[in-house]
Each structure stands twice: as structure tokens, then as C-alpha cells.
């Protein structure tokens, strides 16, 4: 939520900032703005997208060599020009960009107002920079010291970068809870700061991840100096980015979402590479070694996640319980963190997150850690906060996911969770050698099966034309396909704004069946598995009430096609891993419907990719 970017070097800061903001736009697109120092410190900001900012100020921005930029997902104050970042201090000598929330901003604001500060915006971020300014003036200290003191007093989450007119060769940055990466340019006197590595990777692969409660002074002459909140110097650790520029470009596709859907044969294969080898009976997540025994001995596994990642957790519950006989509970991180959950010695928590920055999931991890649980993180973004807050974990290696709707990250999460279940089951001796071989061979054939589903793209597009104007959709599935129904409904509603609900198919008769009439499309995931006969009954219940059924069936099924309005045939696989296949046509269906409705599928309204506020 909110993307921040900053540049200090010898080139035109404006160009670097605008390009960076476009890469970060998936984090929020309510408004965009930049601040540059030429002689003066000037701010240019605008409600809307980065393109609007560019058009409005085309040819009007100075050629500064230092600057900061922000793309906003509104929290405090409606999306408009005034609430857009950057924000000035009262003397206009400082400007701030901020990603996060300052919870006690109201009391600080009142104090500052009594001292005569006037605020232009409704944002907590403007209060933050006035507060820093006030501390600097009262204490007659350096800007970084004022920032450090301010951080001891503010409650909340932040990643900030501050630009000072008096010191154009320097940027001050700090973080707690919201991410911040510092890229070091080849000449060592050029620096790029951003919420994630995507604006940095085309300039340098050398980065420093700022830790929580650290303040960084980035200076053209002295480089990067980091202090913690107690003013103790920290040594920056320089990581090498494992990311290529092509991974964050559209590569000929109209939208990132479509590119990411089509990347899945590769991303699932990448995720499995070296970790699962059927012929060697090998299943190993290299990142889970020290605590693997805790997992084997666990009395209970608790999965915490949000949104699509929570759906991956639901599939994992079924799989882990089936094959390892360890009890699993799946919790919405936002509920878990506020309900004093029981965590016993020997419980292991799996935290699943694409971004690795989701505030509720992070808070759930901290709570579980404080109660003594071992945390294993399953994240896509390398070096993210959740990855670092976990004791150990496994990356999903799906590559950057830029479309706001999660697609390839979901299937990569499932892949890691299947491997985890297999390595655990093998160690616990809860599956036979034949079962292990059968499942791991089926897993190895998944990339090819996903390809076969992607070949149905045109067919799915045709079905989409018939339903693009409906107001509601129902998604039904049973067993392993129940979470797929939830995920299909979420995908449709978030990018097309059609109301959609997912249900376990048998639950339909306990209420949702009242909604069924000839106007209601019902997507039924009805692949051939142990609940096949039961789901046929559910299809008949829908048809008896004239609902329109789009059925996802196993290739060669002769029965269901005779009952329903449309079929999408997917290749057969073991029922436990069918979600890796059956979720793909639902991603395409949502994509096409949303495109036909004129929606921007990469940037759906009100959403942001990385939810760093609770
Ligand atoms: C839906 C979607 C969201 C995320 C959720 C959790 O397509 O992307 O529901 O799954 O916000 O995000 P992560 O996985 O980054 O913790």
C-alpha cells in the first residue's frame, strides 16, 4: 500500500522517479507525486495515476539530481491533490513520502496546532514531517537525529524518505513495518530507494534492506550510514538481487495479469526445481532444515494468511491432514491477531504471503512468536518483512507478481505447500512409497497440464462474452476444489466488480440456493474425484432451478456435459493436486469478463497489491 521511490545521484531525478512510480503503481494508484530539488524544493502532485501526474506537469519540472516520489493508496483523507504525497514541513524546507499509518497522529497534530502549525492535508504523513521539523528546531539537532527522536514517539507503521532543501546531497530514510530497499549504483555515489526492488533492478543489483526501527543517512559523499532507534551504528549488509528486468515488464501481453497467468507452467516448474524429484524419492524445501523436526513433531499446524494466500492455506489444510495426519487450522490473520488464540508448545505456524508485507499476517506472526510458536514463512518476495520475521521458510520463486490479482503466486504457494506436505508425510511415514511416487510424478506433470488449460483460452473467452453483463455469480466446489471455488469468486469480484460468492457445493441448499434462477451463472468445479457423484447432485439442484452452469470437468467426462450449459475440460490429475489445474480456467474466465467490462485488471479500484495497513 503506497509505493515510495527516491533518487540521489548525477542523473535527472525526475526520469528515475517517474519510471519507478510506474513500476510501483500496483501498490496504490489514488494519487501520485514527486518532490525535486533544483535550487528550491518543489512538489508536483496530482490525484489519479502516474500518467496524470506526467501529463499535468509535462515540461514544468526542474532538472534536479535528487528527489522523492510517491504513489498513494489512501488511508487518511480522500484521494485528492492536497492529500497526495509528498508533503512539506511548515517552512517548506523539508518534504516527506510515507508508506504506512501513524496511529497516534491525531494527538501529535493537536499538540503541533497549539504551537501554531497549520496543516493543508488530512494526512497523518503531513503531521509526521511537521513533527520532525518541530523536533529539529527545538533540539537544534541534525535532521537524522530529529527523525530518530520522532520515531521513538510515533506509534504505527512507516517507511519514509525525507528530502531537505538545506542538504541536497542527502536523503534520510527510516522504516518500521513497511518495506524499504536501498540500491547502490555502480559509481557508489548514486542511490535508489524504493518500497521494493522493481524500480531499482534496471540500475543496480546491489541493495541494502533497511530493518525495522533503523534510520539511514544516504549521502553522495559518505554513502549509507545506518543507526538504530537507540542511535547505535549498524553495518549495512549488501545483498545481490536475484531478479531480471524482463520479469517486471509485460513482455508483449496487454496486462501483467494475463502475462502472469501464462507464466504458470514456468513458475510452477521453477518452484519445484530441485525440491521435488520423484525418481529419487526426493522432497525437500532447503529453507526448512533447523525447524523441520519441529514440524515433524508438531501437535498442530496453524496457517495464518489473508485473501488468496488464505485460500492456498485451505488447500494445504486438506492436503497436510490427509497425508501427514497432523491437525491443521487455517486462520484469517486479521482475526487470529485480535482474538487471544491458544498456542501450545509444539505448535508450528505457517505464514503464507505473496508480498511478505501484509500487516495482519505480520502481526499474527509476532503474536504467535511471543507465545512461543515456531514460524515458517512461505513468501514470494525475497527479503520481505514476513520472510525475515519467520524463523525459517521457503520462497515460492514465482518471480515478481505485478497484477494486483494474485494468480501465479497462488499456484506457486500451492506448489510449496504440496512439497511441504510430501516431505513431512515421508518423514512421518504417513504415506506409502507408492503414494509418494504417484503424487510426486503427478506434480511433475502439472506444468504441462497447466499449458493444456491455457490452450483453452479462446474457448473460455467465448464463454465469457455470454456472462459479462450479469450482476452475480456463484462458485461451487467440494473437497480440494472447495477453496478453488472461493478463489474463483474472489478473482472475479476483485477485477470485474461483479458480485461473486464461493461455497462448498453442499452448503448451497442451506441458503444460497434461494438465489438461483435463470439469471444466475453457477461455476461448478466438478472434476472426477471422490466427491464426483455428490457434485453431480449439486449440479442437478442448480439445473432444476434453471441456473446456468459452467462446469470445470475432467477431460473425457461424458456425463456432466449432458447436464450443463458450458464445460471447460481440464486434464486429469490426482484429486489432491487438482487445484493447481482447476484454478487456471477460473483465472482466465475472470480476466476475460473483466476486460470485456472495460476494467483495468492490473489495477482494480480501491485495491493495492501489498496491504501494509490493517
Ligand atoms: C487477491 C489478492 C489478495 C492477497 C491478500 C494477501 O487476488 O491478491 O487477496 O492474496 O491481500 O496478500 P499477501 O499474499 O501478499 O499476504
Amino acid at each position: 500500500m503506497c509505493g515510495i521511490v527516491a533518487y540521489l545521484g548525477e542523473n535527472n531525478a525526475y526520469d528515475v522517479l517517474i519510471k519507478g512510480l510506474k513500476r510501483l503503481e500496483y501498490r496504490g494508484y489514488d494519487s501520485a507525486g514527486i518532490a525535486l530539488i533544483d535550487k528550491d524544493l518543489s512538489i508536483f502532485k496530482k490525484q489519479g495515476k502516474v500518467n496524470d501526474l506526467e501529463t499535468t506537469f509535462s515540461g514544468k519540472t526542474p532538472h534536479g539530481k535528487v528527489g522523492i516520489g510517491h504513489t498513494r493508496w489512501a488511508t487518511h483523507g480522500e484521494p485528492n491533490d492536497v492529500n497526495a504525497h509528498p508533503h512539506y514541513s511548515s517552512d517548506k524546507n523539508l518534504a516527506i513520502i510515507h508508506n504506512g499509518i501513524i496511529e497516534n497522529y491525531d494527538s501529535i497534530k493537536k499538540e503541533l496546532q497549539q504551537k501554531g502549525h497549520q496543516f493543508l492535508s488530512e494526512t497523518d504523513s503531513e503531521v509526521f514531517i511537521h513533527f520532525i521539523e518541530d523536533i529539529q528546531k527545538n533540539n537544534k539537532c541534525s535532521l537524522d537525529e530529529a527523525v530518530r527522536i520522532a520515531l521513538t514517539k510515533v506509534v504505527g507503521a512507516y517507511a519514509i524518505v525525507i528530502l531537505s532543501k538545506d542538504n541536497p546531497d542527502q536523503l534520510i530514510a527510516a522504516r518500521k513495518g513497511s518495506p524499504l530497499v536501498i540500491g547502490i549504483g555502480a559509481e557508489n555515489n548514486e542511490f535508489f530507494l524504493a518500497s521494493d526492488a522493481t524500480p531499482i533492478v534496471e540500475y543496480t543489483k546491489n541493495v541494502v534492506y533497511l530493518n525495522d526501527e533503523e534510520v539511514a543517512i544516504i549521502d553522495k559523499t559518505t554513502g549509507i550510514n545506518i543507526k538504530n532507534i537507540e542511535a547505535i551504528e549498524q553495518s549495512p549488509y549488501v545483498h545481490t538481487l536475484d531478479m531480471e528486468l524482463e520479469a517486471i515488464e509485460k513482455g508483449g501481453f496487454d496486462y501483467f495479469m494475463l502475462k502472469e497467468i501464462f507464466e504458470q507452467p514456468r513458475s510452477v516448474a521453477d518452484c519445484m526445481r530441485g525440491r521435488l524429484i520423484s525418481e529419487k524419492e526426493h522432497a525437500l524445501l532447503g529453507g526448512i532444515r533447523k525447524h523441520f523436526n519441529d514440524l515433524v513433531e508438531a501437535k498442530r499446524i496453524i496457517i495464518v494468511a489473508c485473501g488468496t494466500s488464505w485460500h492456498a492455506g485451505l488447500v494445504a489444510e486438506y492436503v497436510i491432514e490427509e497425508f501427514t495426519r497432523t491437525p491443521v487450522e487455517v486462520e484469517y490473520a486479521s482475526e487470529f491477531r485480535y482474538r487471544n488464540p491458544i498456542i501450545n508448545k509444539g505448535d508450528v505456524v505457517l505464514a503464507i504471503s505473496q508480498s511478505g508485507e501484509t500487516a495482519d499476517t505480520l502481526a499474527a506472526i509476532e503474536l504467535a512468536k511471543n507465545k512461543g510458536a515456531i514460524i515458517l514463512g512461505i513468501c514470494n518476495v525475497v527479503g520481505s518483512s514476513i520472510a525475515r520475521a519467520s524463523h525459517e521458510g521457503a520462497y515460492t520463486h514465482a518471480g515478481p507478481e505485478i497484477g494486483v490479482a494474485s494468480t501465479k503466486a497462488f499456484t506457486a504457494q500451492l506448489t510449496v505447500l504440496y512439497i511441504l506436505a510430501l516431505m513431512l508425510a515421508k518423514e512421518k511415514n504417513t504415506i506409502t512409497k507408492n503414494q509418494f511416487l504417484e503424487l510426486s510424478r503427478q506434480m511433475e506433470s502439472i506444468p504441462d497440464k497447466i499449458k493444456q488449460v491455457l490452450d483453452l483460452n479462446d474457448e473460455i473467452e467465448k464463454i465469457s462474452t455470454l456472462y459479462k453483463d450479469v450482476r452475480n455469480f456463484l462458485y461451487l466446489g467440494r473437497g480440494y476444489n472447495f477453496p478453488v471455488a472461493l478463489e474463483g469468486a474472489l478473482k472475479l469480484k476483485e477485477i470485474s466488480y461483479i458480485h461473486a460468492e464461493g461455497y462448498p457445493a453442499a452448503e448451497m441448499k442451506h441458503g444460497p440456493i434461494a438465489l438461483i434462477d435463470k439469471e444466475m451463472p453457477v461455476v461448478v468445479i466438478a472434476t472426477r474425484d471422490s466427491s464426483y457423484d455428490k457434485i453431480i447432485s449439486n449440479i442437478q439442484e442448480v439445473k432444476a432451478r434453471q441456473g446456468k452452469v459452467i462446469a470445470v470437468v475432467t477431460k473425457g467426462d461424458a456425463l456432466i456435459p449432458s447436464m450443463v450449459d458450458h464445460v471447460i475440460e481440464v486434464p486429469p490429475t490426482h484429486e489432491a493436486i487438482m487445484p493447481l489445474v482447476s484454478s487456471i480456467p477460473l483465472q482466465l474466465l475472470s480476466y476475460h469478463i473483466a476486460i470485456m467490462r472495460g476494467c483495468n485488471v492490473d489495477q482494480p479500484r480501491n485495491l493495492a497489491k501489498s496491504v501494509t495497513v490493517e
Side-chain angles (χ1 to χ4, degrees):
M1 309 224 128
C2 299
I4 63 179
V5 59
Y7 175 75
L8 174 65
E10 293 304 326
N11 292 310
N12 187 356
Y14 176 84
D15 295 340
V16 179
L17 296 177
I18 290 288
K19 212 173 197 188
L21 287 178
K22 286 185 178 166
R23 297 222 192 278
L24 290 174
E25 207 165 24
Y26 71 89
R27 300 178 67 89
Y29 27 84
D30 289 330
S31 62
I34 55 172
L36 296 162
I37 298 183
D38 181 12
K39 284 189 195 74
D40 272 331
L41 195 174
S42 321
I43 290 181
F44 307 87
K45 53 188 187 173
K46 185 82 194 135
Q47 179 181 355
K49 302 204 167 164
V50 182
N51 273 338
D52 301 315
L53 176 76
E54 252 188 313
T55 322
T56 312
F57 297 108
S58 163
K60 295 179 192 154
T61 52
H63 188 104
K65 293 178 180 173
V66 59
I68 55 180
H70 187 271
T71 177
R72 178 170 187 242
W73 187 84
T75 56
H76 294 68
E78 64 175 89
N80 59 26
D81 293 355
V82 177
N83 289 330
H85 294 217
H87 293 284
Y88 278 124
S89 56
S90 56
D91 63 7
K92 293 198 164 42
N93 279 340
L94 304 176
I96 191 171
I97 46 173
H98 170 214
N99 168 26
I101 282 190
I102 303 304
E103 289 168 18
N104 57 341
Y105 85 103
D106 202 34
S107 56
I108 299 174
K109 186 173 186 175
K110 284 192 182 116
E111 243 175 67
L112 290 170
Q113 278 168 328
Q114 277 162 13
K115 292 182 175 178
H117 284 254
Q118 286 177 3
F119 295 95
L120 305 173
S121 76
E122 300 154 86
T123 64
D124 51 345
S125 316
E126 190 187 11
V127 175
F128 204 171
I129 192 65
H130 279 237
F131 187 43
I132 291 166
E133 174 189 32
D134 189 66
I135 293 172
Q136 192 184 10
K137 283 193 176 147
N138 289 340
N139 293 19
K140 300 197 174 27
C141 61
S142 63
L143 180 57
D144 59 283
E145 177 60 5
V147 170
R148 191 192 65 77
I149 297 170
L151 300 190
T152 61
K153 310 208 167 175
V154 297
V155 180
Y158 48 80
I160 54 169
V161 186
I162 297 171
L163 190 57
S164 162
K165 188 174 147 189
D166 298 335
N167 209 344
D169 285 344
Q170 211 175 68
L171 290 166
I172 308 291
R175 72 154 279 187
K176 182 185 166 199
S178 302
L180 194 61
V181 191
I182 306 169
I184 307 164
E187 300 305 320
N188 274 350
N189 60 354
E190 188 176 40
F191 300 93
F192 308 85
L193 286 77
S195 300
D196 67 35
T198 57
I200 296 176
V201 64
E202 76 179 272
Y203 307 106
T204 177
K205 294 216 163 175
N206 296 329
V207 297
V208 172
Y209 293 98
L210 205 59
N211 289 313
D212 268 351
E213 303 200 323
E214 284 182 351
V215 180
I217 305 146
I218 297 110
D219 189 288
K220 249 190 200 171
T221 321
T222 53
I224 303 175
N225 289 290
I226 298 180
K227 286 182 197 158
N228 71 7
I229 205 158
E230 273 106 36
I232 301 168
E233 297 253 347
Q234 310 290 304
S235 337
Y237 179 76
V238 181
H239 297 253
T240 307
L241 281 179
D242 180 20
M243 186 192 281
E244 297 304 327
L245 189 56
E246 303 83 72
I248 52 169
E249 300 197 320
K250 282 191 196 144
F253 286 88
D254 289 341
Y255 285 91
F256 281 111
M257 181 180 176
L258 192 61
K259 175 187 174 229
E260 287 157 8
I261 291 174
F262 273 83
E263 273 174 356
Q264 289 174 107
R266 188 198 50 73
S267 54
V268 169
D270 284 351
C271 181
M272 267 190 296
R273 186 161 301 118
R275 291 167 156 180
L276 190 68
I277 307 168
S278 61
E279 65 191 38
K280 293 191 177 154
E281 287 178 52
H282 169 86
L284 182 73
L285 294 169
I288 305 177
R289 286 177 193 271
K290 248 185 16 229
H291 293 287
F292 182 53
N293 206 41
D294 294 312
L295 198 57
V296 174
E297 304 280 314
K299 301 269 176 304
R300 189 172 60 139
I301 294 173
I302 303 167
I303 297 179
V304 292
C306 304
T308 289
S309 300
W310 184 80
H311 296 155
L314 284 183
V315 176
E317 176 185 19
Y318 283 36
V319 177
I320 295 172
E321 290 203 345
E322 172 68 23
F323 295 107
T324 76
R325 309 313 298 156
T326 306
V328 179
E329 282 170 27
V330 188
E331 299 260 3
Y332 282 117
S334 54
E335 288 297 314
F336 181 81
R337 63 179 288 197
Y338 285 119
R339 69 169 186 78
N340 192 15
I342 297 167
I343 296 171
N344 300 313
K345 199 165 178 304
D347 287 346
V348 171
V349 170
L350 293 185
I352 309 174
S353 173
Q354 187 287 128
S355 61
E357 302 296 342
T358 301
D360 283 322
T361 310
L362 253 177
I365 289 176
E366 292 309 329
L367 175 80
K369 245 194 199 169
N370 290 340
K371 289 181 181 251
I374 297 297
I375 317 291
L376 303 178
I378 295 174
C379 297
N380 193 38
V381 177
V382 176
S384 55
S385 303
I386 290 175
R388 288 185 297 145
S390 303
H391 291 105
E392 278 194 302
Y395 284 116
T396 49
H397 296 310
E401 189 180 65
I402 296 178
V404 163
S406 190
T407 52
K408 64 171 180 172
F410 174 67
T411 45
Q413 287 167 345
L414 291 182
T415 306
V416 165
L417 291 161
Y418 286 125
I419 298 170
L420 183 117
L422 283 173
M423 72 192 251
L424 190 54
K426 192 167 166 242
E427 185 66 24
K428 289 180 75 173
N429 259 323
T430 45
I431 52 171
T432 63
K433 184 174 169 182
N434 280 346
Q435 274 178 312
F436 181 91
L437 278 177
E438 156 73 358
L439 277 161
S440 49
R441 281 189 186 133
Q442 290 287 348
M443 284 290 290
E444 284 164 346
S445 69
I446 288 294
D448 185 54
K449 289 179 181 169
I450 295 178
K451 251 187 226 143
Q452 293 176 42
V453 182
L454 294 173
D455 288 342
L456 306 176
N457 189 31
D458 291 347
E459 213 176 288
I460 296 170
E461 188 175 4
K462 274 192 207 125
I463 299 175
S464 308
T465 51
L466 303 173
Y467 295 99
K468 69 178 174 41
D469 296 318
V470 303
R471 293 169 61 86
N472 300 288
F473 251 93
L474 211 55
Y475 284 72
L476 303 177
R478 298 182 78 117
Y480 295 103
N481 278 326
F482 154 54
V484 176
L486 297 185
E487 175 60 8
L490 174 61
K491 223 71 318 168
L492 184 71
K493 72 183 119 187
E494 71 178 324
I495 60 168
S496 74
Y497 319 138
I498 294 175
H499 171 243
E501 297 283 348
Y503 273 96
E507 272 294 303
M508 185 185 57
K509 57 185 168 295
H510 300 288
I513 199 164
L515 295 169
I516 302 212
D517 61 15
K518 61 181 181 2
E519 307 293 331
M520 176 65 105
V522 184
V523 177
V524 188
I525 305 108
T527 49
R528 206 171 251 295
D529 57 23
S530 48
S531 45
Y532 180 73
D533 293 339
K534 304 279 176 210
I535 206 139
I536 286 181
S537 311
N538 301 131
I539 289 175
Q540 280 166 336
E541 287 156 14
V542 175
K543 285 314 296 173
R545 286 152 188 89
Q546 293 166 7
K548 298 276 183 296
V549 175
I550 303 164
V552 177
V553 301
T554 308
K555 208 176 204 156
D557 188 319
L559 186 55
I560 295 179
S562 67
M563 300 175 183
V564 302
D565 301 84
H566 313 277
V567 286
I568 301 170
E569 283 194 326
V570 299
T573 188
H574 189 290
E575 66 174 305
I577 58 176
M578 183 48 96
L580 278 171
V581 178
S582 57
S583 55
I584 310 294
L586 308 189
Q587 296 171 351
L588 287 170
L589 187 72
S590 310
Y591 172 82
H592 288 300
I593 291 178
I595 292 291
M596 286 168 198
R597 291 165 66 88
C599 302
N600 179 345
V601 296
D602 282 344
Q603 295 174 350
R605 69 184 181 209
N606 305 337
L607 283 170
K609 184 81 186 151
S610 178
V611 187
T612 52
V613 295
E614 64 170 292

